[in-house]
């Protein structure tokens, strides 16, 4: 069983920066990708950014040029550097690990970390 532990959320002023970290409890075999999602109250969880072990990345249009995702394979950790934060980035962020299994893809989730951007 994979456990994901997030850290780095908090309160920041608009234009500021935060760095989220997500550490997996163990090396993940058959990892498809790790990523960050966010979910506002009453809305669906949406992809923010994702990365493969090979370094391929994917970003939501709303964060391109402001957020950077990276992965440290040796530490089983994924990071999200968030710059030029905006009030609309205020939401809970969730770490995700997508693992390929014989029956398909299994998604593991962190507990979520709150990011609040004040105007």
């Amino acid at each position: 069983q994979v456990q994901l532990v997030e850290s780095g959320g908090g309160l920041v002023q608009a234009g500021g920066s935060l760095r989220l970290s997500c550490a997996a409890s163990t090396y993940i075999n058959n990892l498809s990708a790790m990523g960050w999602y966010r979910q506002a109250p009453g809305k669906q969880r949406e992809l923010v950014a994702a990365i493969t072990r090979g370094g391929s990345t994917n970003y939501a249009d709303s964060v391109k040029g402001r957020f950077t995702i990276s992965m440290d394979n040796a530490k089983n950790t994924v990071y999200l550097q968030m710059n030029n934060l905006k009030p609309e980035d205020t939401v809970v962020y969730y770490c995700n690990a997508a693992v390929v299994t014989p029956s398909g893809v299994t998604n593991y989730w962190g507990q979520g970390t709150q990011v609040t951007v004040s105007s």
Side-chain angles (χ1 to χ4, degrees):
Q1 185 76 6
V2 177
Q3 292 183 331
L4 303 175
V5 179
E6 301 147 341
S7 61
L11 173 65
V12 66
Q13 288 187 333
S17 299
L18 284 174
R19 188 193 194 204
L20 304 183
S21 300
C22 172
S25 58
T26 184
Y27 183 83
I28 304 174
N29 291 312
N30 300 320
L31 178 70
S32 176
M34 291 189 74
W36 291 92
Y37 288 70
R38 62 189 183 187
Q39 185 171 22
K43 294 189 177 182
Q44 286 189 332
R45 194 168 293 187
E46 63 176 9
L47 174 70
V48 176
I51 187 169
T52 67
R53 286 203 191 280
S56 297
T57 58
N58 183 33
Y59 294 93
D61 288 342
S62 59
V63 306
K64 284 181 180 177
R66 300 189 298 124
F67 293 8
T68 302
I69 190 169
S70 60
M71 181 187 292
D72 185 330
N73 286 306
K75 295 182 178 180
N76 303 318
T77 301
V78 65
Y79 304 95
L80 185 68
Q81 178 66 43
M82 305 185 294
N83 298 328
N84 190 22
L85 281 161
K86 304 176 180 180
E88 51 263 43
D89 295 318
T90 296
V91 74
V92 179
Y93 287 72
Y94 295 91
C95 179
N96 167 269
V99 181
V100 177
T101 69
S103 58
V105 176
T106 297
N107 284 293
Y108 295 92
W109 297 96
Q111 77 281 4
T113 185
Q114 175 72 44
V115 171
T116 302
V117 184
S118 63
S119 57

